[in-house]
Amino acid sequence: MTAVTAPSDALRRLLDLLASGASTEQLAHVVVAARAEGALGPADL
C-alpha cells in the first residue's frame, strides 16, 4: 500500500482505487491509514 502523507495523497489514492473498481474495504483502508499517519484530520474528511 502506498503511504498517505497529505490529504491530497489520500484523495489521489481514493480516486485511483475508484477508477480500478476497488472494494469498499480497500477504500476504507486509505482513510484508516491516512488517519493513522496523521495525514487526515476531521476537517479533511
Side-chain angles (χ1 to χ4, degrees):
M1 171 85 26
T2 304
V4 177
T5 58
S8 60
D9 292 338
L11 179 58
R12 185 177 310 116
R13 182 75 181 128
L14 286 170
L15 291 173
D16 287 344
L17 287 170
L18 284 170
S20 70
S23 68
T24 54
E25 290 86 12
Q26 290 171 302
L27 297 172
H29 186 271
V30 173
V31 175
V32 171
R35 281 186 164 177
E37 294 171 13
L40 285 180
D44 297 316
L45 297 174

